[in-house]
Amino acid sequence: MATIVLYPSPGMGHLVAMVELAKFILHHHPSLSATILVAPPSFNTGSTMEFVRHISATVPSITFHHLPLVSLDLHAFPSMESVIFEVLHRSNPEVRRALETISRSATVSAFIIDYFCSEALPLATELHIPTYYFFTSGAYIVAFLLYFPFMHRITTESFKDMKNALLHIPGVPPIPSSDMIRPIMDRTAAAYDFFLKFSQNIPNSAGLLVNTFEALEHKPLETIRQGKCNPDGNTPPVFCVGPLLDTDKRHGGGEDCLKWLDKQPSESVVYICFGSLGTLSEAQLREVAVGLERSGQRFLWVVRSPPSEDTGKRFLRPPEPDLKALLPTGFLDRTKERGLVVKSWAPQVAVLNHTAVGGFVTHCGWNSILEAVSAGVPMVAWPMYAEQHYNRVVLVEDMKLALRMEEADDGFVAAEEVERRVVELMDGGLEVRKVVEEKSAEARAAMADGGSSVVALGKLVELWKFSA
């Protein structure tokens, strides 16, 4: 039997997107089977193990191969990215063993790796397995990563020291250096070196799969395919296979907020959530609360506990938030007729697709962006970490899908700004709303039979058959 092996990064957003990719492939090409390699996290990545158990029980054509746990001293790492890189680095020998074991009982048609898992590319090449990168970020990020080695050569400065210079990347709007991907702001950091090596490795892959659709990112896709993002070398073929969304209603605990939304007028509620890992300080939480209260708008707000001051605990799952202690005195009572605060989690896809929701304050994680676009919900962009500041520039300046939340130099957002942007989004924002509705229709078309993403997948599977 022909099988594909997929290797995601441990983060919840990366794992979910990779599982959705496997489901997409198997739905349209059921003669294939899929094995997903899982590196068990020793840190907070969201409810990944619960998710894996559910998929194991409900999608029998997907098998999970669990790699051994890597124990780490979390105090020794400066960032979540550095922790992930170390886990994946130490897991590489086990990945080789897994591929060898799977290859003895099936023909491995393709090995699909998350871009964080780049170290696995050479070993798969040694085993003569065609290897493809899967990008859980969009094509605008792919354009940068292809161009990154060239940028590295033409300057010796770190992005953090460029005094907000505009960076010109083919196919991408000018990116202020202060909005560059967070782990690579300092060229002396280990994460910078990892991303550089990964970027240099991209041309050695068999192809690039991107969780996007042609109509959403036409400009960077065209530029990438013309070879302009990698002026010195090969550009592998690019396949748009999205939007891949987790629409499974497996989670419990979301019924209350959906019932509350049922009672609200159409497009009247702004939804505020910062992904599976985004957290705000206690001072920032209070500022958001003041801004929401002053706005007079209906809201559904997902609140998590602030990040721990203990450097070792900052990578672990935070405790359940004490809303009365964290939010201004009387806030919950004063806003109970028009607002709902939920602890830690909400069924985001279901929320965004509810008729009552008319706006989304987001951290600009790519999965959240795709979910909002697919649901036709305009956004306010409030980035926090990873590539989210870069995504905000693209969302606001090029895609016209979001309004920009303005921050102080230290990243703090004042209550007045929260109030202003929420009111602008919900009472105005007509241009943004019109564009997102158009892209929503194009997203549905891309995933329908004969749509651009389904056609791209068909071409990809034909390559696998040829290589086998």
Side-chain angles (χ1 to χ4, degrees):
M1 172 184 281
T3 190
I4 53 172
V5 179
L6 305 97
Y7 184 26
S9 169
M12 187 65 170
H14 292 249
L15 174 62
V16 168
M18 191 73 91
V19 168
E20 291 302 319
L21 172 62
K23 288 163 64 176
F24 180 51
I25 293 169
L26 297 177
H27 173 73
H28 289 281
H29 301 276
S31 63
L32 294 167
S33 64
T35 299
I36 298 178
L37 307 183
V38 179
S42 53
F43 49 91
N44 178 34
T45 57
S47 304
T48 53
M49 290 303 101
E50 174 194 334
F51 174 72
V52 167
R53 284 192 293 270
H54 172 78
I55 298 298
S56 296
T58 57
V59 188
S61 54
I62 295 179
T63 301
F64 289 90
H65 180 101
H66 294 269
L67 304 174
L69 179 67
V70 175
S71 296
L72 299 174
D73 176 10
L74 297 178
H75 291 86
F77 295 90
S79 66
M80 176 66 82
E81 289 83 7
S82 62
V83 176
I84 293 172
F85 297 153
E86 184 65 17
V87 167
L88 297 173
H89 170 69
R90 295 196 194 181
S91 297
N92 224 33
E94 297 295 337
V95 172
R96 173 187 282 276
R97 279 190 275 274
L99 288 174
E100 290 172 338
T101 299
I102 295 166
S103 296
R104 283 195 288 269
S105 59
T107 300
V108 180
S109 298
F111 184 37
I112 302 174
I113 60 174
D114 188 289
Y115 57 90
F116 272 86
C117 305
S118 187
E119 282 194 34
L121 175 61
L123 66 87
T125 302
E126 290 175 19
L127 297 172
H128 306 291
I129 300 173
T131 303
Y132 297 77
Y133 280 112
F134 175 52
F135 292 86
T136 52
S137 300
Y140 282 95
I141 291 290
V142 178
F144 163 71
L145 291 170
L146 283 164
Y147 199 62
F148 184 27
F150 176 78
M151 297 180 72
H152 173 77
R153 287 199 305 274
I154 62 174
T155 181
T156 58
E157 271 190 297
S158 292
F159 292 122
K160 68 181 179 63
D161 298 326
M162 289 184 180
K163 299 179 180 178
N164 222 25
L166 290 178
L167 305 174
H168 297 279
I169 300 158
V172 180
I175 303 287
S177 56
S178 58
D179 285 323
M180 187 42 72
I181 300 170
R182 285 307 185 253
I184 63 171
M185 293 294 282
D186 183 353
R187 70 187 287 141
T188 67
Y192 181 99
D193 188 53
F194 169 83
F195 274 97
L196 179 62
K197 288 178 179 177
F198 156 63
S199 295
Q200 292 166 338
N201 233 0
I202 293 175
N204 300 323
S205 67
L208 313 179
L209 284 64
V210 189
N211 188 10
T212 191
F213 55 101
E214 294 283 346
L216 181 64
E217 299 187 271
H218 174 75
K219 186 189 299 183
L221 287 166
E222 182 179 30
T223 307
I224 290 167
R225 288 170 176 148
Q226 290 171 347
K228 294 179 180 178
C229 297
N230 186 21
D232 300 332
N234 171 58
T235 299
V238 179
F239 303 89
C240 297
V241 292
L244 299 167
L245 308 176
D246 177 18
T247 57
D248 195 328
K249 298 179 181 179
R250 67 189 178 279
H251 298 290
E255 294 83 2
D256 288 347
C257 66
L258 294 175
K259 289 179 180 177
W260 181 82
L261 286 171
D262 289 341
K263 301 174 184 177
Q264 311 308 315
S266 177
E267 297 186 356
S268 67
V269 176
V270 61
Y271 170 58
I272 306 100
C273 183
F274 302 107
S276 56
L277 299 177
T279 57
L280 301 177
S281 68
E282 186 169 344
Q284 185 66 85
L285 285 170
R286 291 175 177 272
E287 205 76 6
V288 173
V290 171
L292 288 175
E293 185 170 359
R294 289 177 180 170
S295 75
Q297 301 293 322
R298 299 174 190 270
F299 63 87
L300 171 60
W301 182 18
V302 179
V303 171
R304 294 190 182 89
S305 293
S308 173
E309 295 181 2
D310 183 329
T311 56
K313 291 183 178 179
R314 61 186 165 158
F315 302 134
L316 302 177
R317 181 176 297 189
E320 187 173 272
D322 181 343
L323 298 180
K324 289 189 176 180
L326 291 171
L327 302 179
T329 302
F331 169 78
L332 295 172
D333 289 332
R334 292 193 300 273
T335 60
K336 64 183 179 182
E337 297 302 321
R338 61 178 175 87
L340 179 66
V341 180
V342 297
K343 296 181 179 181
S344 302
W345 178 85
Q348 182 158 293
V349 173
V351 167
L352 289 171
N353 281 278
H354 198 286
T355 57
V357 173
F360 180 23
V361 178
T362 175
H363 67 313
C364 304
W366 189 247
N367 283 347
S368 291
I369 291 169
L370 288 179
E371 288 163 0
V373 169
S374 297
V377 177
M379 292 164 271
V380 171
W382 183 351
M384 297 189 175
Y385 55 90
E387 84 284 18
Q388 295 161 11
H389 291 78
Y390 182 109
N391 284 347
R392 174 173 64 183
V393 177
V394 169
L395 272 178
V396 174
E397 303 299 332
D398 233 27
M399 293 184 173
K400 310 295 184 185
L401 294 171
L403 305 176
R404 179 188 176 98
M405 188 75 84
E406 298 289 350
E407 308 137 307
D409 290 342
D410 61 359
F412 196 78
V413 175
E416 293 77 13
E417 175 65 3
V418 174
E419 175 188 4
R420 181 173 74 92
R421 284 308 194 197
V422 167
V423 170
E424 182 182 359
L425 182 69
M426 300 303 290
D427 287 349
L430 296 180
E431 180 184 349
V432 172
R433 197 170 298 276
K434 179 182 178 182
V435 174
V436 79
E437 288 173 355
E438 292 173 354
K439 294 304 174 187
S440 177
E442 291 169 349
R444 290 192 296 274
M447 296 297 279
D449 288 343
S452 60
S453 293
V454 176
V455 170
L457 176 63
K459 292 178 180 178
L460 180 63
V461 172
E462 283 300 313
L463 286 178
W464 297 345
K465 291 177 181 177
F466 180 77
S467 63

